[in-house]
Amino acid sequence: MNSLERFYATVNREPVDRPAAWLGMPDIFAQPALFKHYEVKDFHELKLAVGDDFYAVEVPYESSNASAIYAAFDWYMDGNVDAEERTLTTPGCFAEAEELEDLEFFQWPDPAKYIDVEECKRRVALAPDDKVCLGMMWSAHFQDTCAAFGMENALMNMIANPEIYEAVDEKIMEFYLKANEIFYEATKGRLNAVLIGNDMGSQRGLMLSPDMVRRFIIPGCKKLVEQAHSYGLKVIYHSCGSIVDIIPDLIEAGVDIIHPIQALATGMEPQGLKDKFGDKVSFCGGVDTQDFLVNGTPEDVQKKVKELRTIFPTGLIISPSHEAILPDIPPANIQALFDEAQKVY
């Protein structure tokens, strides 16, 4: 099997020769050590050297105040969005808004002005033909709406003033649906899957009730999934933390793969997820980045991958349990993960 065949079999929970494996998107400060370990000069070469089944592509977005699509909104109206140090908790520009009229001052960006179609094409053209070309769309409308108000204000508005929360969320969704369409049209025929998502889980459970998730997050999820599916793309849906209580809702929304298996979060143990949902949806992740990959040995990592392969003979993309590998993870442990995942037993 090549990477594409392996991926589609995994999505459909059909037999595979060995698990699909994804490196994720290493943090910029983690990349130098990985480059040195694999003796490569850039991220493109690293993806190929690792033996990744995926080739992830970021949406090219460049405006006067943002250089990443997930940082497109200047919620603090200071002319610059720091993509590395963003926070959801600082009160945003809508913190004091009480009426719909209080939102009218904000100038919503038009993604068509800031996404270079030719650069979209160039980036996906770098992906080898037999790899899974994965668009990192994010489209994190819940997180952006939280940042627009400040998280505490946003969560309170969900209860006390849902109309104003939903009005901001709707504008954010319009932005992402348009941005995604531009990217999907530019890359038609070259893209295989996309990653979208919202962090709504904590270590012990959801950050808001399942009913609140169903009202304020799942409808946007459905629109984003339907849009991706209309282009023939598979959807990996991301949320950190414990999200076991709303996995059935993500399945109903049409999500193809749940990312990540954050195994140290309550209810996210691989065996439990396999038992509950293994016949309904596929998963990605499973190799813990909070403690295990940081402090374990390469031998420990090999054992963990073997264990995951036993639990999920198919239906699992083996990957670090957070897509942004941080500098505290030894590159030798990443190599051990891929070495064991790529063995054909």
Side-chain angles (χ1 to χ4, degrees):
M1 282 182 153
N2 65 25
S3 295
L4 276 171
E5 294 166 339
R6 191 173 297 118
F7 169 70
Y8 287 116
T10 300
V11 172
N12 296 323
R13 297 171 297 285
E14 297 170 350
V16 289
D17 56 342
R18 53 90 169 167
W22 182 36
L23 174 64
M25 299 292 285
D27 181 90
I28 189 171
F29 298 110
Q31 291 180 19
L34 289 165
F35 295 166
K36 182 178 180 181
H37 181 83
Y38 282 96
E39 298 181 345
V40 299
K41 68 177 184 295
D42 57 30
F43 193 35
H44 169 73
E45 289 188 1
L46 177 66
K47 296 176 193 179
L48 304 181
V50 166
D52 203 331
D53 286 299
F54 294 77
Y55 191 95
V57 178
E58 297 272 11
V59 178
Y61 187 90
E62 195 72 41
S63 71
S64 60
N65 58 14
S67 57
I69 195 162
Y70 53 79
F73 300 105
D74 184 8
W75 299 128
Y76 312 116
M77 304 187 72
D78 59 5
N80 180 53
V81 181
D82 187 338
E84 292 297 322
E85 302 295 336
R86 291 185 312 144
T87 177
L88 307 185
T89 56
T90 300
C93 60
F94 298 139
E96 304 298 326
E98 296 181 357
E99 307 290 340
L100 294 178
E101 292 77 12
D102 297 335
L103 308 176
E104 294 176 355
F105 67 90
F106 190 75
Q107 298 297 308
W108 295 93
D110 180 356
K113 295 180 179 179
Y114 307 120
I115 297 175
D116 185 332
V117 170
E118 292 307 313
E119 179 62 13
C120 294
K121 295 177 180 179
R122 188 194 72 81
R123 291 187 180 191
V124 299
L126 293 173
D129 291 338
D130 64 342
K131 299 292 185 184
V132 181
C133 191
L134 174 65
M136 302 296 289
M137 312 310 296
W138 292 112
S139 306
H141 60 100
F142 166 64
Q143 290 172 239
D144 277 313
T145 306
C146 285
F149 291 99
M151 180 167 273
E152 183 177 349
N153 296 320
L155 297 181
M156 288 299 296
N157 279 328
M158 285 181 173
I159 298 168
N161 196 354
E163 183 181 41
I164 201 167
Y165 176 94
E166 290 173 329
V168 173
D169 182 75
E170 181 179 354
K171 294 293 289 186
I172 293 167
M173 280 294 304
E174 288 176 5
F175 172 89
Y176 282 124
L177 289 168
K178 183 173 182 179
N180 294 353
E181 182 180 11
I182 294 167
F183 189 73
Y184 295 161
E185 286 291 333
T187 61
K188 192 180 292 186
R190 291 288 293 134
L191 207 60
N192 306 110
V194 295
L195 187 143
I196 61 176
N198 287 282
D199 286 336
M200 50 189 162
S202 71
Q203 196 72 12
R204 297 183 179 181
L206 292 168
M207 291 191 290
L208 56 169
S209 73
D211 285 343
M212 298 287 271
V213 171
R214 292 176 190 124
R215 174 170 179 180
F216 294 104
I217 301 178
I218 295 297
C221 170
K222 286 183 178 179
K223 289 179 182 179
L224 292 163
V225 170
E226 289 170 0
Q227 182 188 39
H229 282 174
S230 75
Y231 284 87
L233 306 173
K234 299 299 182 183
V235 175
I236 302 173
Y237 194 91
H238 166 89
S239 175
C240 291
S242 173
I243 60 167
V244 63
D245 289 340
I246 51 88
I247 286 178
D249 300 279
L250 295 174
I251 294 171
E252 192 276 330
V255 168
D256 299 294
I257 300 166
I258 305 290
H259 175 272
I261 296 180
Q262 187 172 317
L264 296 188
T266 300
M268 297 296 288
E269 300 83 3
Q271 186 66 61
L273 295 178
K274 171 64 175 176
D275 294 343
K276 291 177 182 176
F277 309 112
D279 61 340
K280 301 179 182 69
V281 73
S282 295
F283 290 90
C284 179
V287 186
D288 169 53
T289 57
Q290 293 177 285
D291 176 68
F292 184 78
L293 278 175
V294 176
N295 298 311
T297 67
E299 292 73 24
D300 294 331
V301 175
Q302 288 177 315
K303 290 178 183 178
K304 176 57 67 177
V305 173
K306 287 180 181 179
E307 176 188 320
L308 290 168
R309 291 182 63 161
T310 300
I311 296 170
F312 286 92
T314 187
L316 174 65
I317 298 163
I318 291 181
S319 181
S321 68
H322 192 280
E323 86 289 341
I325 296 168
L326 298 178
D328 55 359
I329 295 176
N333 283 349
I334 298 299
Q335 182 175 346
L337 184 159
F338 275 89
D339 285 350
E340 192 62 38
Q342 291 170 351
K343 290 179 181 177
V344 177
Y345 297 159

